[in-house]
Amino acid sequence: MIKIAVYGKGGIGKSTTVSNIAAVFASEGLRVMQIGCDPKADSTVLLRHGEKVETVLDLVRTKKDNFTLEDIVKEGFAGVCCVEAGGPSPGLGCAGIIAALETLEKKGAYEKYCPDVVIYDVLGDVVCGGFSMPMRRGYADKVFVITSGENMAIHAAANIAMAVENFKDRGYAQLGGLILNRRNVKNEEEKVAELAEDIHSKVIGTLSRSELVTDAEEQQKTVMEAYPNSPMAEEYRVLAKQIRKLCGI
C-alpha cells in the first residue's frame, strides 16, 4: 500500500486534481482510497456526483464510537473509497484531523478495504498540528504540492516544502515534487521552475487551464468520467503515470 499526501493552497484546484488522479488510478485497476482532510469536507464530491460523505469527526461528535466503517467509507466513481475527515471541533484546532485519521486506523479501514493507494487531500494554507499529520511516518510516503504561478500559491507551496524538509530527519514522508496547475499568469512556468529549484525538487507534471474542468464540475463529475477521451483527461493520465513511477506503484 502506497500513501500519498497532496497539499496546496485553498482554491488551487487540489481536490479536483486529486479526484481525477484517483479516478485514473481506479480505472487502471488499482484499489484507491481518497481521504479529504479539508474542513470544507468536499474533497470527494466529484467522485460521488455531488453527494457528500458524512465526516469522521461529525460521526465521532454525534455517535461517539457507535458507528461502523460503512458509515465512514462510501463508494465513488470507478469504485474509489471516499472518506472525509471533516473540520476540527471547537477548541480542538488542528487536532481534529489527527483524531479523524486515528479513528480510521482504529476501525481497521485499511485492513478492510485493502487499498493499493491512499491519497490524502490536505489543505496547505496552514501546515501545523493535524494538517501536517499526513506527511508524518506511517501516513504518507510521498508529498506532492499543487501550485500555480500566483504569488500566494507559490508562498503556500514553499511553506509546505519547508515543513517536509523539517520533518525529513525523522523518517517522515519525502517530497515527490510540484504539480503546476496553470492559471495563465505572467511568467508562470518560470516562477514555478524557480520555486522547484529553490526547494531542491522538480515539477513532475503540468495541467492546463481548461473549460472542460469547469464543465465537468458543473455536472458534478470528474473530467475522467465526463470527458474521458478529451485532451484534459489525457493530461490527468500523464500526471497519474508520473506519480505512479515516482511512488513505485
Side-chain angles (χ1 to χ4, degrees):
M1 178 172 60
I2 298 295
K3 297 179 180 180
I4 301 165
V6 180
Y7 282 79
K9 179 185 179 297
I12 199 62
K14 173 175 49 62
S15 296
T16 298
T17 301
V18 168
S19 294
N20 277 284
I21 295 304
V24 174
F25 286 160
S27 297
E28 292 174 345
L30 296 175
R31 183 69 167 163
V32 184
M33 178 177 286
Q34 179 171 322
I35 303 175
C37 299
D38 189 316
K40 296 195 306 295
D42 60 357
S43 172
T44 60
V45 291
L46 296 181
L47 293 166
R48 290 180 45 79
H49 299 165
E51 183 180 351
K52 283 197 169 188
V53 176
E54 189 168 8
T55 73
V56 178
L57 288 179
D58 281 344
L59 285 166
V60 170
R61 283 193 284 261
T62 59
K63 298 186 177 182
K64 305 302 181 185
D65 194 46
N66 189 28
F67 59 92
T68 67
L69 279 174
E70 287 73 17
D71 296 318
I72 299 174
V73 185
K74 302 294 182 181
E75 185 173 340
F77 174 71
V80 176
C81 298
C82 299
V83 180
E84 296 286 352
S89 300
L92 279 181
C94 297
I97 301 293
I98 298 174
L101 296 182
E102 289 178 344
T103 298
L104 280 171
E105 284 191 313
K106 179 182 176 182
K107 294 286 186 180
Y110 306 121
E111 291 79 7
K112 178 177 175 63
Y113 295 99
C114 300
D116 300 302
V117 187
V118 177
I119 309 177
Y120 301 97
D121 174 6
V122 195
L123 182 66
D125 296 84
V126 181
V127 186
C128 66
F131 291 106
S132 70
M133 188 70 166
M135 65 175 70
R136 299 183 187 184
R137 183 171 55 189
Y139 285 91
D141 303 299
K142 292 281 188 182
V143 172
F144 295 95
V145 184
I146 298 178
T147 186
S148 68
E150 297 162 307
N151 290 337
M152 292 304 294
I154 286 179
H155 178 71
N159 285 341
I160 296 160
M162 186 183 302
V164 177
E165 175 70 16
N166 289 339
F167 285 139
K168 75 174 185 180
D169 291 338
R170 306 181 197 181
Y172 291 172
Q174 297 178 338
L175 183 61
L178 302 177
I179 298 167
L180 169 55
N181 193 22
R182 282 196 180 102
R183 289 293 185 267
N184 296 341
V185 299
K186 186 177 180 180
N187 299 325
E188 187 160 39
E189 292 193 8
E190 292 84 351
K191 286 181 178 180
V192 176
E194 182 179 355
L195 170 63
E197 184 176 353
D198 288 345
I199 63 175
H200 308 293
S201 188
K202 58 188 175 181
V203 180
I204 62 109
T206 300
L207 298 170
S208 300
R209 189 172 179 85
S210 171
E211 291 183 0
L212 288 182
V213 176
T214 303
D215 290 346
E217 289 179 346
E218 288 177 352
Q219 299 174 48
Q220 298 184 322
K221 296 179 181 179
T222 60
V223 171
M224 300 310 304
E225 180 178 6
Y227 303 108
N229 300 316
S230 67
M232 194 66 222
E234 185 58 26
E235 289 191 19
Y236 286 122
R237 291 189 185 97
V238 170
L239 176 58
K241 182 178 181 180
Q242 181 66 2
I243 291 173
R244 289 188 70 163
K245 178 181 177 181
L246 290 169
C247 295
I249 305 172

